[in-house]
């Protein structure tokens, strides 16, 4: 079956540091890949997505590239801010049928804390 | 600009009690989902629905029931609460476009079974 593996956290950085959160996946076919972010006390919000190999998703200074050859979708940001402190989830959407919708498989989540 | 709304935000139940977690969305999405999130874990799919009157089991459906009488509402029912159901529950919704559209999440219901 499908699975998503994220780097273990928590991750603690100083403001303006470079961020990488690793994500690798196992899936049949050609899934779409997502990064979601969860701020304290809130639900998940879509951060970025990529729907085919070599696509780069980007949003709010975060980027991730869909690498089919390494089955990876690592999240990066060049200069993190205190406001980026949150839990980040990598997820994949398997080949969706109209009878099942876009079912997501999530990684375990990575807690990021950015200190001033 | 409501999106996906879940109620209640917090609830404490005794073992054996029952309750319904409410979820409503105002985006006219045809697909809706229920997940649970346990500490240090990703989200696990409980049930999903592809439209009014149609529901199906996800990864972890035991101990739960759902119904979908309207496009907007997708309540989750716990009949006999057990400590193992202590978790944070998230409802989500999406359009159908072949799997590349994101799901939109509510803020969650934090449920404790004592």
């Amino acid at each position: 079956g499908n699975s998503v593996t994220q780097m273990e956290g928590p991750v603690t950085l100083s403001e303006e540091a470079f961020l990488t959160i690793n994500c690798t996946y196992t899936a049949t076919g050609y899934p779409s890949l997502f990064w979601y972010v969860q701020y304290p006390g809130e639900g998940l919000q879509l951060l970025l997505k990529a729907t085919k190999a070599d696509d780069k998703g980007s949003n709010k200074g975060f980027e991730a590239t869909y690498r089919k050859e390494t089955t990876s979708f690592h999240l990066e940001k060049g200069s993190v801010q205190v406001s980026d402190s949150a839990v980040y989830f990598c997820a994949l959407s398997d080949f969706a049928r109209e009878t099942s919708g876009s079912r997501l498989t999530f990684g375990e989540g990575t807690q990021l804390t950015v200190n001033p | 600009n409501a999106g996906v709304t879940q109620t209640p935000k917090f609830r404490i139940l005794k073992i054996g009690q029952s309750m319904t977690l409410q979820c409503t969305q105002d985006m006219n999405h045809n697909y809706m989902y229920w997940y649970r999130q346990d500490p240090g874990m990703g989200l696990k799919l409980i049930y999903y629905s592809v439209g009014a009157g149609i529901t199906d089991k996800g990864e972890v459906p035991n101990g739960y029931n759902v119904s979908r009488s309207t496009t907007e509402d997708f309540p989750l029912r716990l009949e006999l609460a057990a400590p193992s159901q202590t978790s944070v529950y998230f409802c989500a919704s999406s359009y159908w476009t072949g799997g590349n559209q994101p799901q939109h999440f509510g803020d969650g219901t934090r449920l404790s079974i004592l």
Side-chain angles (χ1 to χ4, degrees):
Chain A
N2 298 334
S3 67
V4 175
T5 303
Q6 288 182 232
M7 68 182 289
E8 292 187 13
V11 174
T12 302
L13 296 173
S14 297
E15 205 163 26
E16 299 184 3
F18 185 85
L19 169 70
T20 300
I21 301 178
N22 290 336
C23 171
T24 57
Y25 68 90
T26 302
T28 54
Y30 303 95
S32 293
L33 301 174
F34 303 86
W35 277 100
Y36 283 84
V37 59
Q38 183 179 30
Y39 298 104
E42 297 184 10
L44 279 68
Q45 302 174 23
L46 177 70
L47 180 59
L48 53 84
K49 71 176 186 180
T51 59
K52 60 183 187 295
D54 300 326
D55 266 5
K56 178 186 282 189
S58 61
N59 186 27
K60 299 180 182 180
F62 291 89
E63 293 183 339
T65 301
Y66 189 145
R67 301 286 188 200
K68 187 168 174 59
E69 64 277 11
T70 54
T71 62
S72 64
F73 193 54
H74 305 320
L75 182 69
E76 296 182 337
K77 186 174 185 182
S79 176
V80 293
Q81 305 301 311
V82 172
S83 58
D84 293 327
S85 298
V87 181
Y88 292 81
F89 291 93
C90 185
L92 70 81
S93 174
D94 61 3
F95 175 71
R97 300 177 297 278
E98 196 165 358
T99 54
S100 65
S102 54
R103 298 178 60 170
L104 289 172
T105 299
F106 287 89
E108 302 85 358
T110 301
Q111 172 75 56
L112 171 66
T113 301
V114 181
N115 295 319
Chain B
N1 194 22
V4 178
T5 302
Q6 292 184 237
T7 57
K9 293 192 182 303
F10 305 94
R11 184 75 185 268
I12 298 174
L13 284 182
K14 294 182 179 179
I15 295 171
Q17 287 186 319
S18 60
M19 79 163 291
T20 299
L21 283 64
Q22 301 292 344
C23 175
T24 187
Q25 52 92 10
D26 62 358
M27 296 173 283
N28 203 32
H29 287 165
N30 44 355
Y31 294 87
M32 295 188 75
Y33 313 82
W34 274 106
Y35 294 91
R36 59 177 288 170
Q37 182 183 28
D38 298 320
M41 306 286 287
L43 279 69
K44 302 290 187 185
L45 183 64
I46 304 171
Y47 270 95
Y48 65 95
S49 169
V50 303
I54 306 170
T55 63
D56 208 345
K57 297 177 180 179
E59 247 182 298
V60 290
N62 291 343
Y64 307 94
N65 280 300
V66 294
S67 60
R68 182 97 181 269
S69 57
T70 66
T71 299
E72 295 79 18
D73 301 308
F74 189 41
L76 177 72
R77 177 108 180 134
L78 283 70
E79 292 292 352
L80 289 171
S84 61
Q85 294 176 305
T86 294
S87 190
V88 182
Y89 292 84
F90 289 100
C91 180
S93 69
S94 70
Y95 288 115
W96 157 257
T97 53
N100 61 6
Q101 288 300 307
Q103 294 180 15
H104 298 258
F105 286 81
D107 286 342
T109 295
R110 187 175 299 273
L111 181 63
S112 295
I113 316 292
L114 303 177

